[in-house]
Amino acid sequence: RDDAAAVKCGAYEARPADSVPIGGVEIDGGAVAQKVKIGVYFAAWWSLNVIFNIYNKKVLNAFPFPWLTSTLSLAAGSFLMLLSWATRIAEAPRTDPDFWKALLPVAIAHTIGHVAATVSMSKVAVSFTHIIKSSEPAFSVILSKILFGETFPLSVYLSLIPIIGGCALSAVTELNFNLTGFMGAMISNLAFVFRNVFSKKGMKSVSGMNYYACLSMLSLLILTPFALAVEGPQLWAVGWQKAVSQIGPNFIWWVAAQSVFYHLYNQVSYMSLSEISPLTFSIGNTMKRISVIVASILVFHTPLKPINALGAAIALSGTFLYSQ
């Protein structure tokens, strides 16, 4: 019969090309690739930051001029990006006056945060600066509430208690506490939260890499006259000669390394920021500090009392709870 030979046909929705069934469960290849990409960014960001912090502290120990050191970091990054654009290794961004106008407050915040952190590390141990800077999520939540009226679950606010308490305990028990170093880290926290929030809002027409390149150049223009006014060429010349005489040619390598690695880690962090939210960025930034703290203690043999280490552990545990 005709109906016996009939074949039942059905139309089915095509499966996305990047969706692969594994063991009866569909795996979204695009989502997995995105997670792997962000994971690589974070690993590179953290590794480069550890190297930067070690060389930065070496330079500051021999050459205690944080304003010039900060300026050289921005100058190196600006030069590298201009060179990459000129040689077409990277595509130069297309910008307009509105872009630079929107970038200005971000550059001011970046400049303040960069100098404040460098001043802090010139006065205290790298580990102490990063323990205090681990309170950045608290600043992020508070400013998001004040500036944008954002509300968070009670669990988020409760997670800030160990962060703030742990930082306070670590500061009180720090063997080599210095008020300038402490305030520098706190000011850096505040400035970088502003930078991250407004960077995310302005990062629309320009890639994360080029956005940070433009940010470095504008920050360099802002910082240079202040560095000249605060420290000046005469002090730099005397300090440079003293550092070279004590350390030798390696000192020049240290300066070059801290400058280049500062740009590289920030460039990768901005590539991450273009993929995630400002709060997630703050979390990643805080978790990164664990590796920096441990590495700096091992490299510089930083004395650490058990109560001080407990404060750091509480603060970092609070950050983990916050991320959850």
Side-chain angles (χ1 to χ4, degrees):
R1 296 182 308 171
D2 292 340
D3 58 350
V7 178
K8 184 178 180 181
C9 296
Y12 297 90
E13 183 179 359
R15 180 181 291 114
D18 59 356
S19 183
V20 182
I22 300 178
V25 179
E26 292 210 352
I27 304 298
D28 188 345
V32 172
Q34 179 70 5
K35 289 181 178 179
V36 171
K37 179 181 178 182
I38 294 174
V40 170
Y41 281 168
F42 270 48
W45 172 21
W46 296 349
S47 301
L48 293 168
N49 188 259
V50 168
I51 298 172
F52 158 72
N53 275 280
I54 290 172
Y55 279 111
N56 185 245
K57 186 60 177 176
K58 283 177 175 286
V59 170
L60 292 171
N61 283 343
F63 183 74
F65 295 92
W67 288 79
L68 177 60
T69 305
S70 301
T71 305
L72 292 175
S73 301
L74 296 174
S78 300
F79 172 76
L80 288 174
M81 287 309 301
L82 287 173
L83 183 63
S84 66
W85 292 340
T87 56
R88 299 186 180 277
I89 295 175
E91 185 178 354
R94 296 180 179 179
T95 61
D96 54 30
D98 288 337
F99 169 82
W100 292 100
K101 182 179 179 181
L103 187 65
L104 181 59
V106 183
I108 293 173
H110 179 69
T111 304
I112 294 171
H114 177 36
V115 173
T118 309
V119 168
S120 177
M121 283 193 283
S122 72
K123 298 294 184 181
V124 296
V126 175
S127 55
F128 179 68
T129 295
H130 282 274
I131 290 169
I132 300 305
K133 283 174 67 64
S134 67
S135 63
E136 186 176 311
F139 285 83
S140 189
V141 169
I142 294 169
L143 287 178
S144 295
K145 175 69 175 178
I146 295 173
L147 296 178
F148 306 110
E150 294 185 22
T151 58
F152 301 91
L154 178 61
S155 56
V156 171
Y157 293 110
L158 291 176
S159 71
L160 300 182
I161 296 175
I163 294 176
I164 297 172
C167 287
L169 178 61
S170 185
V172 170
T173 58
E174 173 64 22
L175 291 172
N176 299 307
F177 180 83
N178 179 280
L179 183 60
T180 301
F182 174 77
M183 291 305 299
M186 295 294 283
I187 292 170
S188 178
N189 274 341
L190 186 63
F192 280 152
V193 169
F194 272 109
R195 182 200 68 176
N196 295 344
V197 170
F198 290 114
S199 291
K200 188 65 177 179
K201 290 182 177 294
M203 200 182 299
K204 296 177 181 178
S205 59
V206 178
S207 68
M209 181 176 66
N210 281 336
Y211 187 91
Y212 180 70
C214 295
L215 178 61
S216 289
M217 295 172 192
L218 188 53
S219 293
L220 178 61
L221 293 176
I222 295 170
L223 177 57
T224 300
F226 287 97
L228 289 168
V230 174
E231 295 174 345
Q234 292 183 341
L235 289 177
W236 294 339
V238 174
W240 187 274
Q241 290 178 352
K242 182 179 179 181
V244 172
S245 65
Q246 291 180 345
I247 307 299
N250 278 342
F251 174 71
I252 299 174
W253 158 248
W254 292 356
V255 173
Q258 76 91 26
S259 301
V260 171
F261 280 108
Y262 175 80
H263 173 75
L264 291 178
Y265 101 75
N266 272 289
Q267 188 177 77
V268 174
S269 75
Y270 262 79
M271 292 166 69
S272 303
L273 182 58
S274 65
E275 305 284 345
I276 57 180
S277 72
L279 287 180
T280 303
F281 182 87
S282 289
I283 296 166
N285 204 23
T286 303
M287 299 306 290
K288 165 207 71 181
R289 300 193 194 286
I290 297 176
S291 56
V292 175
I293 290 169
V294 173
S296 66
I297 289 173
L298 294 175
V299 170
F300 297 108
H301 306 289
T302 307
L304 196 68
K305 293 196 299 185
I307 190 69
N308 186 262
L310 176 63
I314 292 172
L316 294 169
S317 298
T319 302
F320 175 77
L321 292 174
Y322 171 84
S323 68
Q324 297 302 304

